[in-house]
Amino acid sequence: MQEVEKVLGHEEVIRHLQNAVEKEQVSHSYIFAGEKGSGKKLLAKLFAMTLQCEEHKKEPCMHCSSCRKAMSRNHPDIIYVEHVKPTSIGIEEIREQLVSDVEIKPYTGPYKIYIVDEAEKMTIQAQNALLKTIEEPPAYAVILLLANNNTGLLPTITSRCVTLNFKPVRDEVIRKYLMEELHVPDYQADVSVAFAQGNVGKAKQIATAEDFTEMMDAAFRILRRGSDMEVYEMVDALKNLSEQKHTIYEYLDLFLVWFRDVLLFKATKEMDSLVFKDEYNFIKERADKSSYEGLETIIKAIETAKARLQANVNFDLTMELLFLTIREN
C-alpha cells in the first residue's frame, strides 16, 4: 500500500500537491492550515519525500536512498525548523535555521525543503525576517509553514504562499479506520469519532487512550453533579483533572459532545442517535431542565472557553464563566 493512500481524507490537498509535482509547478512557499492532529505533518513529510525522491514520480517510492534518509529524518535537504520556547518561534531561530541556511545549495537533492511546524507561533520579527526569503527565494527552495491557526500569520506572508486547508475528515472514514486498523470496539469508536469532529489525530489519541473510560467518567461526574457543586469546586475539579493526564481541551470536547447529546435528545426524544447512550438518565434529566436556547448558549460557551484558553486568557476566569453559564441555563 502506498504511503499517500494511508493518509485519511484530504483528497483535495493531495491532488493539488501531486498535480504540482507532475506539472513541475511546485510553489516556493505553502501554508498547510488545519488544527493540530489533522495530518499536516504527515503530508508535509510525504510531499518533501516526493520532491526529493530519486524516481521523480508523484509519490515517494519509499525505497531509494533519499526516501530512506527522509523516513529516518536524516535527509540533509529536508530541514525541520526547531524552536526552544514552547510558545514562540523567535527571529534568531528563523535566521539561523532557514534564512541563512537557504543560501547554501542543496547537498544531494534537487530541492532544499524547510518544514516549520506551528508556524503561527513565529514572532512578528521572525515573520518579517522570513518575508524576504519568501519574496525572493532561491530556485531550489520550498518552505512549508504548518499552521494550527493561520490567523497568527501576517497578511504579507499569507498573500505570498499557496494556502492548503485541511478540512475535517468524514466521520465514516475515521470510524472505519479505528475499527479496522486499530481494532477499537464500536462504542469506543463512536465516542471517539463524535469527540474528534473530523480530526484523525484526535480520534486516534482518544480511542487508544488506556484510561479512556476513566477520563469520560471523570468528565461526567462534573457534569452530573453540576447543580450540587459550587462553581469554584467545579473549576478546581477540572483543573486537577487536566493537570494529571489529559489536556483541558479534551475534557471540554467531551462536555461539548455530552451537551450536543442533551440537545439532540430534547429535540428527538430518541436514545438511538445519542453518542453517550450509557448516560441516558442524566441526559434526559438535563434535557428536561434546560431550554433549547439554554443548551445552545452552553454549547457556544464551551466553544468560547476553548478559544479563550488558546488565546492564553486566565484559566480560572475562563472556567468560572463557563460553569456559571452551565449553571444558569
Side-chain angles (χ1 to χ4, degrees), residues 11 20 30 56 70 78 89 100 153 197 208-209 272:
E11 295 85 358
Y30 290 88
H56 308 295
I78 300 176
I89 304 173
S100 307
L153 294 171
Q197 300 285 297
T208 55
D272 290 350

Side-chain angles (χ1 to χ4, degrees), residues 230-249:
E230 293 295 332
V231 168
Y232 76 87
E233 289 179 299
M234 292 167 87
V235 174
D236 286 347
L238 195 57
K239 196 177 203 169
N240 289 337
L241 285 177
S242 60
E243 277 170 1
Q244 283 162 19
K245 243 185 186 176
H246 294 277
T247 69
I248 181 65
Y249 300 108

